[in-house]
Amino acid sequence: FFFLMIRRPPRSTLFPYTTLFRSNDGIDCLVEKPLSLNSEDAWDMVETAEEHGRTLGVGHIFRYHPALSELKNRIERGELGKIKYLNTNRFSFRVPRETAGALYSLAVHDIDISNYLLENKPESLYCNLDSVIRENVDETATITLEYGDATSVINESWQVPVHGKRRDLTVVGSEKAAYVDYLEDTVIELHDSRVREYNGDFQAQNEGKQVYKTDNKEPLKVEVSEFIEACQSGSELRAPGEVGAETVELLELCEKSSSEDQVVTVD
């Protein structure tokens, strides 16, 4: 077996950063997000891998973030109740990249995270992209994803100097709310707060928060280890090729929504 690591090429080329795992009868690929730069090519990669019986994984690295993994487990156990609202912020202050905007560089993470936590795809979305500094390179992306009873609001920008570097997620459920600062890999906050109705009156209950620490597992190491195991045994990946292709489809719909300035239905 051998690995080949390929650095990210310019925005105009198809394949991003890739890991190749070669066996005697073919090559399995772990491709850095996004899987490709358009959904047609993404689904072609998925179908090709299926035709040849190979493993295709996508590097949606935040699926392996320790605190986010712990949050996912607690959501699945029902600790937060019914999820109502998600809010994500990724802010910094820098010159926008020449090769890719905030949508494909940053929002790709949070669109996938929303799908991952809610175990669903949005029914509709609205996106606004701002390109002021570099023509046709969005430095700010504001996205609203509607999942029926849940809404995910995503804010991405390289033009916000007031927070330093900020990457965080808030998830509000009917029983509890959770907060994850992605810069603190192992910490998750659970806020014991909810609104209750008593005899026709609504009351906000807030019983404080608990801070939990989880095991510090290096996301990239876990991701690659899981990929190798899938290549050898056929086990499932957290982010198989289909997940990558679906995310690229949603990125394209975000571009469509922004260019047409309207809500777009997700088929």
Side-chain angles (χ1 to χ4, degrees):
F1 303 103
F2 76 88
F3 288 98
L4 174 63
M5 306 297 287
I6 304 174
R7 295 193 59 164
R8 181 182 295 278
R11 175 72 167 83
S12 58
T13 52
L14 171 61
F15 295 103
Y17 181 94
T18 307
T19 299
L20 303 178
F21 187 76
R22 186 183 182 106
S23 62
N24 292 332
D25 57 348
I27 297 178
D28 303 291
C29 293
L30 174 60
V31 184
E32 181 58 289
K33 58 76 190 167
L35 179 59
S36 74
L37 302 179
N38 64 75
S39 58
E40 182 178 353
D41 289 334
W43 284 114
D44 183 59
M45 293 171 68
V46 172
E47 292 168 4
T48 300
E50 291 177 349
E51 289 172 4
H52 293 276
R54 308 317 312 167
T55 298
L56 175 63
V58 188
H60 286 292
I61 193 67
F62 280 86
R63 291 195 176 213
Y64 301 88
H65 188 282
L68 190 68
S69 296
E70 178 66 17
L71 173 58
K72 170 74 169 173
N73 291 335
R74 291 177 180 272
I75 290 174
E76 290 178 346
R77 292 201 298 263
E79 289 189 36
L80 277 68
K82 188 174 183 179
I83 304 303
K84 302 184 293 183
Y85 176 70
L86 298 86
N87 177 262
T88 302
N89 301 289
R90 290 180 191 265
F91 296 142
S92 62
F93 185 64
R94 52 171 290 179
V95 176
R97 297 173 178 171
E98 295 183 33
T99 55
L103 180 66
Y104 277 78
S105 297
L106 302 178
V108 58
H109 288 299
D110 299 307
I111 291 173
D112 176 64
I113 288 170
S114 296
N115 291 347
Y116 180 55
L117 294 180
L118 296 173
E119 296 184 346
N120 206 347
K121 291 193 296 182
E123 298 175 0
S124 64
L125 61 82
Y126 177 77
C127 175
N128 182 75
L129 302 176
D130 294 313
S131 303
V132 177
I133 297 173
R134 293 189 186 277
E135 186 177 359
N136 298 323
V137 178
D138 47 283
E139 68 261 10
T140 298
T142 306
I143 304 166
T144 301
L145 306 175
E146 293 291 349
Y147 294 83
D149 293 333
T151 300
S152 178
V153 178
I154 297 170
N155 302 291
E156 320 278 10
S157 183
W158 286 317
Q159 294 301 296
V160 179
V162 300
H163 299 291
K165 186 176 183 179
R166 178 178 175 182
R167 296 181 175 182
D168 58 20
L169 166 70
T170 301
V171 179
V172 179
S174 58
E175 298 299 323
K176 292 183 180 180
Y179 176 77
V180 171
D181 183 345
Y182 289 124
L183 302 179
E184 295 187 57
D185 291 343
T186 62
V187 178
I188 175 174
E189 296 179 7
L190 286 186
H191 294 253
D192 195 1
S193 54
R194 67 199 61 80
V195 173
R196 290 282 188 257
E197 181 180 4
Y198 295 97
N199 299 322
D201 293 327
F202 291 97
Q203 297 182 6
Q205 298 178 342
N206 192 339
E207 300 178 9
K209 71 177 182 180
Q210 298 81 40
V211 179
Y212 299 93
K213 295 198 69 173
T214 186
D215 294 336
N216 189 10
K217 297 180 180 179
E218 171 57 42
L220 183 58
K221 182 177 180 180
V222 176
E223 179 185 60
V224 172
S225 297
E226 183 180 281
F227 172 69
I228 294 173
E229 176 63 27
C231 295
Q232 294 175 330
S233 67
S235 57
E236 293 186 3
L237 293 169
R238 291 182 221 186
E242 292 85 352
V243 164
E246 289 171 354
T247 304
V248 173
E249 284 185 337
L250 292 174
L251 293 174
E252 289 179 334
L253 290 177
C254 285
E255 291 178 307
K256 175 182 173 65
S257 173
S258 181
S259 65
E260 298 178 355
D261 190 25
Q262 65 180 11
V263 175
V264 173
T265 299
V266 179
D267 186 358

